[in-house]
Amino acid sequence: MTPMVAANWKMHKGEAEAVAWADIVSARLPQGIEAVVFPPATALTAVRQTVAGRGLQLGGQNLFYESAGAYTGEISPKMLIAAGCRYVLVGHSERRQIFGESDREVGMRLRAALEAGLTPLFCVGEQIEDYERADYHGAIQRQMGVALKGLEAEQVARIVMAYEPVWAIGTGRSATVVEAERSADIIRQVIRRLYGAGINLPIVYGGSVVQENISGFVTVAHLDGVLIGSASLDAELFCTLMEEVAGAVAP
Ligand code: 13P
């Protein structure tokens, strides 16, 4: 996969700020990467208009698994597509922890995204307690085992995996390249066990990605990109991060 550099804004930026960011970033997209922005739903349309035809891709931060109905506050896969999204985050740890999304629900959202033709970034990762006990496998195996249940190989092959250790999100303490590589291997093992060796999913890393550590994830750890929270909010900084990745993977 072309290395992905993705910006997850979380609950930040109104329309005007979002448009200003999207305009700066669209003008400075380097060759050789897939740049994606996940704005809040209220800014999707404005960002879409700003980035139209300029190469920056759009994603939703969340989606519900029903296509329409009495689900106050929720957004359907079809609505995200209509708003210009190609990608969607599924199972982000903030959704799991703060909003109580269970592994099973994450699986329903994952299936809905795939059935609608969106590319899900399926987020998995261990808690600090697991990490401190050196249990690197348990959470990833459980999250993937439950959420992938019942999905066909053809559907699974369209998923982008995102390894986001919970202890690294917003903490300033990122995983090392060795740790990211180890977890990517665990993710690959689960896929191999469930679907055989024929499926090789792209894996991106998220959790306190900054300019100092970004290129290691794509070069040393051989991952397929990064998912950036805090450091994505400033347009100039995000441009620098995109350039780091593009430079690191350039032939
Ligand atoms: P930070 O980069 O702020 O740690 O957030 C990572 C993240 O949650 C991306 O989805």
Side-chain angles (χ1 to χ4, degrees), residues 4 22 29 66 74 89 100 105-107 116 119 122 137 141 156-157 169 174 196 199:
M4 176 182 283
L29 285 188
E66 296 290 350
E74 292 299 318
L89 299 178
E105 250 184 278
V106 168
T119 299
F122 173 25
H137 294 75
Q141 285 172 341
V156 173
I169 297 178
S174 82
I199 298 184

Side-chain angles (χ1 to χ4, degrees), residues 142-166:
R142 190 201 70 238
Q143 289 164 348
M144 291 180 72
V146 176
L148 297 175
K149 214 181 176 98
L151 290 178
E152 303 295 332
E154 163 280 313
Q155 293 176 302
V156 173
R158 292 189 283 115
I159 294 173
V160 174
M161 293 301 306
Y163 170 56
E164 293 214 319
V166 180

Side-chain angles (χ1 to χ4, degrees), residues 173-250:
R173 176 189 176 190
S174 82
T176 63
V177 288
V178 173
E179 290 167 336
E181 216 174 356
R182 177 174 60 206
S183 296
D185 275 337
I186 295 168
I187 290 171
R188 289 189 196 103
Q189 280 164 23
V190 176
I191 294 291
R192 214 172 304 130
R193 182 163 47 74
L194 297 175
Y195 294 95
I199 298 184
N200 196 4
L201 297 186
I203 304 173
V204 303
Y205 169 80
S208 298
V209 171
V210 290
Q211 194 173 351
E212 291 69 31
N213 62 21
I214 191 166
S215 61
F217 294 112
V218 288
T219 54
V220 187
H222 302 294
L223 299 182
D224 301 281
V226 283
L227 179 51
I228 310 166
S230 335
S232 76
L233 292 173
D234 181 89
E236 294 295 333
L237 176 56
F238 187 70
C239 289
T240 309
L241 296 174
M242 290 192 301
E243 283 153 13
E244 287 280 345
V245 174
V249 298

